[in-house]
Amino acid sequence: GRKGGKELRCAAFVYFNVVLNSLALSLTPGSEHAATSTLPAAFTDLLPHFLVEPEDEYIVKNKPVTLTCRSTPATQIYFKCNGEWVHQDDHLIERTIDPATALPIMQVKIDITRQQVEKVFGLDEYWCQCVAWSTTGTQKSQKAFIRIAYLRKNFEEEPQGKEVTLDQEVLLRCHPPEGVPPPEVEWQRNEDVLDPASDPNFFVTADHNLIIKQARLADTGNYTCAAKNIVARRKSPSATVVVYVNGGWSTWTTWSSCSAVCGRGWQKRSRSCTNPTPLNGGTSCEGQNVQKSACVATCPVDGGWSEWSKWSACGADCSMWRSRECTQPAPSTGGKDCQGLDLQSLNCTSLECPQSESPPLSTHGAPLQPFSTDGAEDVALYVGMVAVALCLTLLLIVVVLVYRRRKEGLDADVADSSILTTGFQPMGIKPTKPGVWAQRPQNSHLLTIQPDLTSTSTSYQGTLRSRHDTVGKFSMANGPLLDPLPNGSHTLHNGKLGADPGEFVSRLTAQGYFKTLPRDVDNTSYGTFNFLGGRLTLPNTGISLLIPPEAIPRGKIYEIYLTVQRKEDIRLPLAGCQTLLSPVVSCGPPGVVLTRPVILSMDHCSDACPENWAVRLKKQNYEGTWEDVLLMGEEHPSDPYYCQLEAETCRVFSEQMGRFALVGESLHMGAAKRLRLVLFSDAYCTTLEYNIRVYCMDDTQDVFKEVMQMERQLGGRLIDEPHLLLFKDSYHNLRLSIHDMPQAHWRSKLLAGYQEIPFYHIWNGSQRYLHCTFTLERLSLATCQLSCQLCVWQVEGEGQSFGLDFNIAKVTPPALAPTHTALAGPSAFQIPYLIRQKICSSLDTPCPNGADWRMLAQRLKLDRHMSFFASNVSPTSVILDLWEAQHFHSGNINQLATVMADIGKQEAMIFLVSDGEC
């Protein structure tokens, strides 16, 4: 074909050139190659021998490559590329003579460009070969392949970050980008090249994967796979490997000495989560770090005398002896020795010892008085007097016991006045000083009314009791947990308060249902209440219980408690996307009879977006099982429970007391919990090392109070205001890091760039708060100022950054916590009792012009609860109860008076409006 004819013509051309060159060399005198024509006869039959053959080359970018071919003896050399001869003009020829053999040496070079190679790219590899001629024949060199070098940008497989435990094997995969020539791969940790030869814990497989045989804490870092060839160098994204350590308990310490010097007491032992200490987001130890056990301390026993021995026989010195021992009992465990003499002597009588009539002597030499009948008569007199005194004492004790028994047996179902005189102090509604109501801001006259002196009902201010006040006995009415007294009566107790703050809780925990109540009285408040109602509050927790007037039946007095449970003590059955949104709160005792719902207020930590949540109110029954008693948004008027969810507070209306909790189920990944980030550090730092503890907790006041109390015991101090963070239900962990420290004064001792808290620990965990510690080191003890940035973010989510700037040597005194509050009677409410009755009687009756309880709910922005208010016998009273629960600390009674005036009554004194005007 055409190609064959072309190769034939080329070959003829080359052969013709060779012949002409040979003739020219032999005929041209003085030519530098004239030696070829005068070769010794022994070399005329030699074939060309290649000294240098062309080798494989790579074209980098647009730079051409040069192929070299050298042969001897050779009269001519030509290159042939991809089967075609290279034109003679493209050859660079150089001829020399080998001084040793006198043979001619010919060297030929050609340049290959990128364009030449790209013409055949995709068809076949581009190759070149040189052909050398001599007078004897030809010889071909090896083929040299010319390739275009490149290295693609994207890795075919990138290493992925991992979280592993200590000593676990780690495999990081890496498939480098495609390239010509094939790239070389190396691994880097924190920008430092890893050398498996120097560290046998690392191994790189043939397919470029990295294996960490046993993960160490030092192996925590950012790993990068780097690929390079003659064209470029590529690096994969960093893969973070975190080697975490789960916490382990240390061994128990020895038991402490018994707390009691004599009798029953307590001893304790402790352990710490330091074997090992949780690091890099590892789980904390589960269980208690302190154990308590009852102990009995042996009381000291004072010594006691035994009976006197018999008198000895009269001796030669006319004396006789008797003795006793300190053995009944013998002194032990530090008891006192017996006081007195252990030996007595007595002179013998004249009949037994006629030689001497001297009086008997004691061991001290004093004469002893002889026995007489007068002494016996004196003893009888003394015994009679003692017997009379004992009889009088016993009679007095019997009289006191009978008096107290009769007083305790008083029937509580008596007139209101008798109950209030025993349990409360009377106080009239009318102020003792004129102008007391007038001292309030304007419009206060709207809620001013003179008391009706003809009415039989009287208002009283109940006794105020803090958490340190206890009563002698717990009383309740019609409760299934404590048996009622005979004939349905209920005992009213007004005895002295107990001195032990834990007596009330101890009595409750003795009951079967109350065994899970917390024993620390710091989280418990209680008081005694009657039909006038009252309020229980746990300070600094956002938890309170409002007992409205008339909620307790008239003639009944209840002792009511309010407590918050520790989250780790109560395990709620959470499934799927459910999470606890509020503290677990107990109020009771359960089973008491209530005529109206009480209002339990507590914080919650949801984002207050109803479309994101399915919120359920759970209640624990007597068997300990948690039941769903209310699904918000699907309430029924006949339900004994109702829940109002505000921005940060939940208010539960309940006709039954018990243990409650608010549980939310996220409906999609946009649902978020409010978390509170709180930073603490050591109050005093005398070393170069400095720790910052970052707590992550639900945004409720009770958890914050618990952490503050714990840090106060540890000697910590709050170094910044708490920060709010929305934690979404995205299954991503929470990461924290510290940046922008002044490098000249501070450095971080953490091995990793950040710390991480697992998602399920926050969303479904049983711990009330989680924390991680950042350990910093100052370069000088004189450095006291620290400024840095705390970054907090959820993986693959938006983050927040908080600036810190404080002096580590400045100590902030801790804030003093207020005492617990238990208010009974009118002092617990802002609206006076008689005025409240007037408001209810005025607004409960529907009015044609709408000036009734419905307008009151609208003006107070409570109209979304209209159906619930209407389901009650007195809608106005429920509205006022809710207003009292919302505005106990910040409410202004004048604002309520203004609302009442704006409802539309014709007179300012709306409580004196007649029914005809309505």
Side-chain angles (χ1 to χ4, degrees):
R2 296 181 179 178
K3 186 174 182 181
K6 184 176 181 181
E7 291 181 353
L8 184 60
R9 288 193 298 273
C10 265
F13 171 74
V14 170
Y15 179 75
F16 179 73
N17 283 338
V18 170
V19 173
L20 289 180
N21 289 334
S22 300
L23 291 175
L25 289 173
S26 60
L27 295 178
T28 304
S31 172
E32 61 177 348
H33 300 286
T36 59
S37 61
T38 58
L39 291 175
F43 298 99
T44 57
D45 57 348
L46 293 178
L47 288 174
H49 170 66
F50 287 101
L51 301 177
V52 177
E53 296 185 66
E55 297 180 351
D56 295 344
E57 296 287 348
Y58 294 95
I59 296 178
V60 179
K61 298 182 180 179
N62 293 322
K63 184 178 180 180
V65 297
T66 300
L67 299 181
T68 303
C69 187
R70 183 186 301 170
S71 178
T72 181
T75 58
Q76 192 63 268
I77 299 176
Y78 282 94
F79 272 93
K80 190 176 186 180
C81 295
N82 275 32
E84 296 184 1
W85 294 100
V86 179
H87 196 275
Q88 182 180 6
D89 295 339
D90 296 332
H91 292 70
L92 180 61
I93 303 173
E94 180 181 352
R95 292 184 176 88
T96 58
I97 300 291
D98 187 352
T101 60
L103 292 177
I105 298 176
M106 177 176 288
Q107 177 177 289
V108 178
K109 296 182 180 180
I110 63 172
D111 291 337
I112 305 299
T113 64
R114 185 185 183 98
Q115 290 76 10
Q116 292 176 267
V117 178
E118 288 177 343
K119 289 181 180 179
V120 296
F121 186 76
L123 301 176
D124 263 327
E125 287 189 305
Y126 193 90
W127 58 269
C128 290
Q129 185 182 39
C130 63
V131 181
W133 278 266
S134 69
T135 55
T136 305
T138 62
Q139 192 75 11
K140 294 182 179 180
S141 70
Q142 67 179 6
K143 288 184 178 180
F145 292 90
I146 298 89
R147 301 177 178 89
I148 298 176
Y150 66 92
L151 182 63
R152 300 194 184 280
K153 293 184 178 181
N154 298 325
F155 281 72
E156 297 186 8
E157 185 176 5
E158 298 174 349
Q160 301 296 324
K162 294 186 177 181
E163 296 178 357
V164 296
T165 58
L166 199 66
D167 297 329
Q168 181 181 344
E169 183 180 272
V170 184
L171 173 63
L172 298 178
R173 298 184 179 275
C174 177
H175 195 167
E178 179 186 355
V180 175
E184 299 177 358
V185 175
E186 65 180 14
W187 282 89
Q188 299 177 358
R189 181 184 63 193
N190 298 334
E191 304 299 331
D192 296 330
V193 178
L194 295 177
D195 184 11
S198 60
D199 191 347
N201 195 42
F202 296 105
F203 176 72
V204 180
T205 64
D207 50 354
H208 312 300
N209 297 329
L210 176 65
I211 295 178
I212 305 176
K213 299 178 182 179
Q214 288 183 324
R216 305 160 297 189
L217 287 177
D219 294 331
T220 298
N222 297 320
Y223 287 79
T224 306
C225 179
K228 64 178 180 179
N229 63 5
I230 60 176
V231 179
R233 179 184 180 91
R234 312 287 187 210
K235 294 177 68 174
S236 70
S238 296
T240 302
V241 174
V242 177
V243 182
Y244 62 88
V245 179
N246 293 327
W249 288 114
S250 64
T251 57
W252 288 102
T253 60
T254 57
W255 288 102
S256 64
S257 58
C258 195
S259 60
V261 179
C262 173
R264 184 178 178 85
W266 296 94
Q267 59 182 359
K268 66 179 181 179
R269 63 176 182 174
S270 62
R271 58 180 178 174
S272 58
C273 189
T274 57
N275 188 30
T277 303
L279 295 173
N280 299 336
T283 58
S284 299
C285 303
E286 294 186 359
Q288 296 181 348
N289 63 339
V290 177
Q291 278 187 347
K292 287 187 176 181
S293 175
C295 60
V296 178
T298 305
C299 300
V301 178
D302 295 337
W305 289 113
S306 65
E307 295 293 332
W308 286 102
S309 65
K310 293 182 180 180
W311 288 102
S312 66
C314 189
D317 56 351
C318 291
S319 65
M320 55 185 180
W321 305 84
R322 69 174 179 175
S323 64
R324 59 179 178 176
E325 296 179 351
C326 189
T327 58
Q328 293 187 0
S332 62
T333 62
K336 298 179 180 179
D337 291 331
C338 298
Q339 303 293 322
L341 301 175
D342 59 349
L343 185 66
Q344 269 188 349
S345 64
L346 184 66
N347 290 338
C348 301
T349 63
S350 59
L351 295 178
E352 295 175 350
C353 186
Q355 295 88 353
S356 175
E357 296 182 0
S358 60
L361 300 175
S362 69
T363 56
H364 296 284
L368 294 177
Q369 298 296 328
F371 296 101
S372 66
T373 57
D374 295 339
E377 293 177 356
D378 293 339
V379 171
L381 178 61
Y382 293 149
V383 170
M385 294 176 63
V386 171
V388 172
L390 289 176
C391 292
L392 292 176
T393 303
L394 290 176
L395 180 62
L396 180 62
I397 293 175
V398 170
V399 171
V400 171
L401 290 177
V402 171
Y403 173 76
R404 294 185 63 183
R405 180 66 58 86
R406 288 182 178 179
K407 191 170 184 179
E408 290 180 354
L410 289 178
D411 190 358
D413 295 324
V414 294
D416 295 339
S417 60
S418 63
I419 294 178
L420 297 176
T421 54
T422 56
F424 299 88
Q425 298 295 330
M427 183 193 75
I429 291 297
K430 185 176 180 180
T432 57
K433 295 181 180 181
V436 171
W437 292 101
Q439 294 176 1
R440 298 188 178 188
Q442 58 181 356
N443 295 328
S444 61
H445 63 281
L446 299 181
L447 294 183
T448 305
I449 182 172
Q450 299 296 329
D452 187 0
L453 301 179
T454 63
S455 175
T456 58
S457 63
T458 310
S459 60
Y460 300 89
Q461 180 178 9
T463 56
L464 306 182
R465 296 186 181 181
S466 69
R467 62 178 177 88
H468 300 292
D469 300 330
T470 59
V471 294
K473 184 176 179 182
F474 175 75
S475 62
M476 58 173 286
N478 301 332
L481 303 179
L482 300 178
D483 295 332
L485 298 176
N487 302 325
S489 62
H490 304 276
T491 305
L492 171 65
H493 303 281
N494 62 342
K496 294 183 179 180
L497 302 179
D500 183 8
E503 180 184 350
F504 177 77
V505 178
S506 299
R507 287 188 284 108
L508 285 182
T509 53
Q511 307 294 329
Y513 179 80
F514 304 101
K515 288 183 178 179
T516 56
L517 282 178
R519 290 184 175 268
D520 57 334
V521 294
D522 290 338
N523 294 319
T524 304
S525 180
Y526 54 90
T528 305
F529 303 94
N530 68 348
F531 75 96
L532 292 176
R535 185 189 306 264
L536 291 175
T537 303
L538 298 180
N540 302 321
T541 63
I543 301 172
S544 64
L545 178 68
L546 180 73
I547 307 165
E550 308 294 342
I552 298 176
R554 289 179 177 263
K556 307 292 183 183
I557 292 182
Y558 296 156
E559 190 173 22
I560 298 177
Y561 67 86
L562 176 68
T563 182
V564 58
Q565 306 282 158
R566 293 185 180 273
K567 189 176 178 182
E568 56 268 19
D569 294 339
I570 302 295
R571 296 297 182 99
L572 272 77
L574 301 178
C577 300
Q578 290 184 343
T579 183
L580 188 61
L581 297 178
S582 73
V584 180
V585 180
S586 298
C587 60
V592 296
V593 176
L594 297 174
T595 58
R596 291 180 50 194
V598 296
I599 301 179
L600 176 63
S601 300
M602 54 186 176
D603 288 351
H604 70 86
C605 59
S606 72
D607 57 2
C609 296
E611 63 274 8
N612 295 339
W613 296 92
V615 180
R616 290 178 172 85
L617 179 66
K618 287 183 175 288
K619 182 177 182 291
Q620 193 176 31
N621 59 21
Y622 292 100
E623 290 76 19
T625 305
W626 287 91
E627 301 175 342
D628 292 341
V629 297
L630 179 66
L631 175 61
M632 292 194 60
E634 299 182 7
E635 302 92 345
H636 299 284
S638 60
D639 291 341
Y641 306 98
Y642 187 79
C643 185
Q644 181 201 12
L645 195 66
E646 301 173 3
E648 298 179 356
T649 307
C650 169
R651 307 195 190 275
V652 178
F653 294 78
S654 175
E655 298 177 5
Q656 301 175 5
M657 294 193 183
R659 184 170 295 153
F660 298 93
L662 203 65
V663 173
E665 181 178 3
S666 61
L667 302 180
H668 51 77
M669 297 179 66
K673 288 180 64 175
R674 297 194 323 273
L675 300 183
R676 186 180 298 190
L677 298 176
V678 188
L679 281 71
F680 288 91
S681 65
D682 297 332
Y684 301 95
C685 181
T686 58
T687 62
L688 295 176
E689 192 173 276
Y690 189 72
N691 295 322
I692 296 179
R693 295 180 293 277
V694 182
Y695 287 83
C696 176
M697 66 190 77
D698 292 346
D699 186 25
T700 56
Q701 297 181 54
D702 65 302
V703 185
F704 180 66
K705 174 186 176 182
E706 182 178 345
V707 172
M708 289 290 291
Q709 291 176 342
M710 182 187 66
E711 280 289 336
R712 188 177 294 113
Q713 295 175 357
L714 296 176
R717 65 154 178 164
L718 187 66
I719 61 176
D720 195 20
E721 292 295 327
H723 300 284
L724 184 64
L725 176 69
L726 292 179
F727 186 78
K728 293 186 177 181
D729 182 18
S730 61
Y731 298 100
H732 292 306
N733 299 338
L734 187 68
R735 291 181 177 177
L736 305 95
S737 62
I738 287 184
H739 302 281
D740 300 339
M741 290 184 300
Q743 300 297 325
H745 303 287
W746 293 88
R747 69 182 184 91
S748 174
K749 297 188 68 175
L750 293 181
L751 299 176
Y754 59 86
Q755 298 198 56
E756 191 163 288
I757 301 177
F759 169 83
Y760 63 90
H761 284 187
I762 300 176
W763 198 264
N764 305 110
S766 60
Q767 295 182 351
R768 294 167 60 85
Y769 49 83
L770 302 164
H771 85 279
C772 57
T773 302
F774 290 92
T775 303
L776 310 179
E777 186 178 31
R778 48 180 174 170
L779 303 183
S780 172
L781 289 174
T783 301
C784 295
Q785 197 69 24
L786 173 60
S787 60
C788 57
Q789 290 286 328
L790 173 66
C791 297
V792 184
W793 73 99
Q794 204 170 352
V795 180
E796 298 185 8
E798 298 181 356
Q800 299 184 36
S801 178
F802 310 108
L804 304 178
D805 190 358
F806 60 96
N807 191 311
I808 67 175
K810 183 178 180 181
V811 179
T812 303
L816 297 177
T819 59
H820 282 262
T821 303
L823 300 177
S827 62
F829 305 96
Q830 297 210 33
I831 306 175
Y833 179 70
L834 294 181
I835 295 180
R836 176 192 177 93
Q837 288 182 322
K838 285 290 185 178
I839 296 177
C840 295
S841 61
S842 175
L843 299 183
D844 280 343
T845 304
C847 294
N849 60 356
D852 52 24
W853 64 269
R854 291 168 295 181
M855 184 174 293
L856 176 63
Q858 292 176 355
R859 295 301 174 89
L860 296 179
K861 299 181 180 179
L862 300 175
D863 49 329
R864 62 182 182 277
H865 309 294
M866 285 292 193
S867 59
F868 170 68
F869 297 147
S871 64
N872 288 269
V873 177
S874 174
T876 308
S877 63
V878 180
I879 296 174
L880 296 180
D881 293 342
L882 181 56
W883 186 88
E884 290 276 6
Q886 291 176 329
H887 301 90
F888 176 60
H889 296 290
S890 60
N892 187 348
I893 197 170
N894 295 314
Q895 296 177 354
L896 181 61
T898 303
V899 170
M900 296 296 298
D902 292 343
I903 288 180
K905 300 293 183 178
Q906 298 298 324
E907 299 177 21
M909 297 295 294
I910 61 172
F911 310 113
L912 302 180
V913 176
S914 63
D915 293 338
E917 291 172 324
C918 186

